[in-house]
Amino acid sequence: LKCPQAIVIEPAFELASQTATVITRIASNTYPELTVRVGVNGERYERGEMITDQIIIGTPGMLQDWIITA
């Protein structure tokens, strides 16, 4: 499905980035169509934009901003 199926909340930017890298590497061989969206400082999400990534990884503050912006 091209919609969010899992949300991973990490307490820090570095952990969110590392988790995204690991998940992407693990899934690349088995599920190459899997997409990951990382919600950390600097990553923007436009109002009304539909997120089609299956896994969303981010910090609590950025994910809260995304929810409020939607």
Side-chain angles (χ1 to χ4, degrees):
L1 299 174
K2 291 293 184 182
C3 62
Q5 298 176 37
I7 297 176
V8 179
I9 302 173
E10 294 286 0
F13 165 82
E14 295 83 11
L15 289 174
S17 297
Q18 289 173 3
T19 302
T21 300
V22 170
I23 289 175
T24 303
R25 283 185 186 166
I26 290 172
S28 66
N29 295 328
T30 310
Y31 302 105
E33 67 280 352
L34 181 81
T35 57
V36 176
R37 164 94 39 121
V38 183
V40 293
N41 288 339
E43 182 70 28
R44 293 291 164 223
Y45 160 65
E46 295 298 321
R47 184 177 202 77
E49 177 185 350
M50 295 295 292
I51 295 178
T52 59
D53 304 290
Q54 288 90 3
I55 300 176
I56 301 171
I57 303 170
T59 57
M62 184 56 70
L63 293 178
Q64 181 180 9
D65 288 348
W66 282 9
I67 291 168
I68 291 171
T69 301

